[in-house]
Amino acid sequence: MAENNSRRKFLKTGCLTALAVGVTVCGGGALIANIKPKIDLPQVTSPDSGSGKRVLIAYATKAGSTAETAARMAETLTKKGLSVDVLPIDRVNDISPYETVIAGSAIRMGNVLPEFKTFIEANKAALEKKTFGLFIMCLTLKETDEASRKKADTFLDPIRAIIKPNSEGQFAGVMNPDNLTLMDRTIAVTMMKSPVGDFRDWNQIDGWVDALA
Ligand SMILES: Cc1cc2nc3c(=O)[nH]c(=O)nc-3n(C[C@H](O)[C@H](O)[C@H](O)COP(=O)(O)O)c2cc1C
């Protein structure tokens, strides 16, 4: 009897220890898989150029390429004599000072980032009274065949259901494993076998923003 009790106690302690170790290891693994690499998030507030035209470029990024693209667009427009502010989209408080608003998002799993959609929904009425351009960065457009273009075009359907922009830019983006969490790297590079590289066509991007503003 005493032997039975001690065996039960031994098994119970063993099971609880295994459970505790499992939870700790899994929890630690999840934490490591989601450690975010340091991404540059440019914030530019430019002085008034005297043109009276102020442009906001707001971006939603995960791995930084949409932010870099927003900064490059700002350079292009500043050279044209415009005053351009650049902000992460979730840090935009007031769009009233701007005549033109450009909003860009990375595509993840076939969707724009949630903060991008939130911004469009929250500012729909004001955006409708401005020159409004939106752009996306995705890897589908690394290929230029019709099927890829059609597929990429669907990424914006949920946004088009909210607002009709004056112009849309759909651009090939970047896959840089160094800028991804271990989890995202595993999904995109290991499982989805995504090509690695910078596939941006700067002529296309410069041309689009130049024509818009
Ligand atoms: C986890 C993950 C999922 C992605 N899903 C898609 C996708 O569904 N379609 C697509 O065309 N590109 C996809 N991409 C590619 C990104 O849209 C592309 O790398 C983009 O340039 C990322 O922008 P960012 O650097 O601003 O985050 C994915 C990338 C990652 C890392």
Side-chain angles (χ1 to χ4, degrees):
M1 183 68 161
E3 200 180 298
N4 251 356
N5 271 347
S6 113
R7 188 161 175 270
R8 215 173 289 144
K9 204 171 156 193
F10 173 77
L11 283 174
K12 197 174 153 195
T13 313
C15 286
L16 285 175
T17 309
L19 185 67
V21 170
V23 167
T24 310
V25 169
C26 289
L31 274 180
I32 290 167
N34 286 302
I35 291 173
K36 289 197 174 89
K38 193 154 171 30
I39 302 297
D40 201 17
L41 297 177
Q43 289 199 47
V44 179
T45 310
S46 59
D48 202 328
S49 67
S51 70
K53 289 183 179 174
R54 204 160 188 89
V55 180
L56 171 68
I57 308 181
Y59 60 86
T61 188
K62 278 271 194 193
S65 67
T66 310
E68 287 167 7
T69 305
R72 160 79 168 234
M73 287 178 176
E75 265 178 49
T76 307
L77 297 183
T78 306
K79 281 187 202 144
K80 286 180 79 173
L82 300 169
S83 303
V84 188
D85 295 346
V86 180
L87 278 174
I89 208 157
D90 54 2
R91 291 192 203 154
V92 177
N93 295 321
D94 178 15
I95 64 166
S96 63
Y98 304 101
E99 179 180 289
T100 299
V101 175
I102 298 171
S105 179
I107 296 295
R108 286 281 174 116
M109 303 303 184
N111 287 299
V112 294
L113 298 183
E115 61 268 35
F116 179 83
K117 193 166 179 224
T118 303
F119 172 84
I120 306 283
E121 283 167 342
N123 294 286
K124 173 183 154 60
L127 286 171
E128 278 170 345
K129 296 190 190 102
K130 298 180 190 287
T131 302
F132 171 51
L134 62 81
F135 72 95
I136 53 164
M137 310 291 303
C138 67
L139 264 241
T140 301
L141 288 171
K142 175 188 170 295
E143 308 301 333
T144 52
D145 58 285
E146 201 188 340
S148 301
R149 280 188 278 118
K150 271 194 177 154
K151 185 177 174 197
D153 199 51
T154 64
F155 298 155
L156 280 170
D157 285 348
I159 301 302
R160 292 187 193 112
I162 303 168
I163 190 169
K164 189 166 168 11
N166 297 95
S167 181
E168 283 178 16
Q170 299 179 10
F171 306 123
V174 176
M175 182 61 69
N176 178 357
D178 293 345
N179 286 349
L180 298 176
T181 60
L182 177 59
M183 173 85 88
D184 286 344
R185 207 180 313 151
T186 306
I187 294 171
V189 183
T190 313
M191 291 163 68
M192 292 165 74
K193 306 271 180 250
S194 167
V196 169
D198 185 342
F199 304 103
R200 285 173 291 190
D201 176 343
W202 290 115
N203 282 336
Q204 184 197 13
I205 293 168
D206 292 345
W208 178 76
V209 77
D210 191 47
L212 172 71

